[in-house]
Amino acid sequence: MMTQINLYYPLWKRYLPVLAIQMKKAITEEQEINFTKSDLHNLGNRNKADYSFSLELENGKVKNNISGSAVARDLYDVLLTSPKIKELLQDNHFKFSLGKAYVLKITSLKA
């Protein structure tokens, strides 16, 4: 079995500037980014796949188990390539969740 490495890098890299802006805004209110099925489908290898995931980051560290989600792992890796985002991740607690409707929600969990 061949493991696909970093399949979703191109998608997240393309959205990196948007993610940076939305994360900054998410500190005050939840943000949403709409993707299309083909955004993920063209990269993914799972046919009727469920691309849903939840990624929780506190001070730049992953707080939940994302080992089963390549989409989430790639998002995390790509986020760390941006100095602006790395700065936002410090002292903040974010949750990224992608649901079945391909809407990525970015929420700040900081009390």
Side-chain angles (χ1 to χ4, degrees):
M1 188 180 132
M2 219 181 92
T3 315
Q4 295 284 319
I5 307 289
N6 311 141
L7 222 52
Y8 304 96
Y9 266 44
L11 173 70
W12 298 128
K13 279 219 175 305
R14 194 166 76 232
Y15 279 94
L16 203 51
V18 180
L19 286 162
I21 293 163
Q22 299 296 62
M23 283 172 69
K24 206 178 171 82
K25 288 185 183 169
I27 293 170
T28 48
E29 64 174 333
E30 182 179 87
Q31 298 298 314
E32 294 186 352
I33 301 174
N34 292 291
F35 292 95
T36 64
K37 187 176 177 174
S38 60
D39 277 331
L40 292 146
H41 222 64
N42 294 341
L43 302 165
N45 52 359
R46 315 184 224 173
N47 282 341
K48 289 183 263 312
D50 179 9
Y51 294 100
S52 305
F53 69 84
S54 181
L55 167 63
E56 211 177 300
L57 298 175
E58 191 171 14
N59 299 324
K61 301 268 182 284
V62 180
K63 298 298 285 179
N64 61 322
N65 183 359
I66 54 166
S67 62
S69 173
V71 190
R73 285 197 312 271
D74 287 358
L75 170 59
Y76 178 63
D77 288 348
V78 171
L79 287 175
L80 294 184
T81 64
S82 161
K84 193 186 277 179
I85 289 177
K86 273 175 91 166
E87 204 174 298
L88 277 172
L89 288 173
Q90 290 309 310
D91 305 322
N92 275 304
H93 191 169
F94 287 104
K95 183 178 174 185
F96 297 82
S97 52
L98 185 72
K100 294 209 186 329
Y102 305 102
V103 174
L104 180 70
K105 293 187 168 143
I106 307 172
T107 320
S108 169
L109 303 176
K110 197 171 185 184

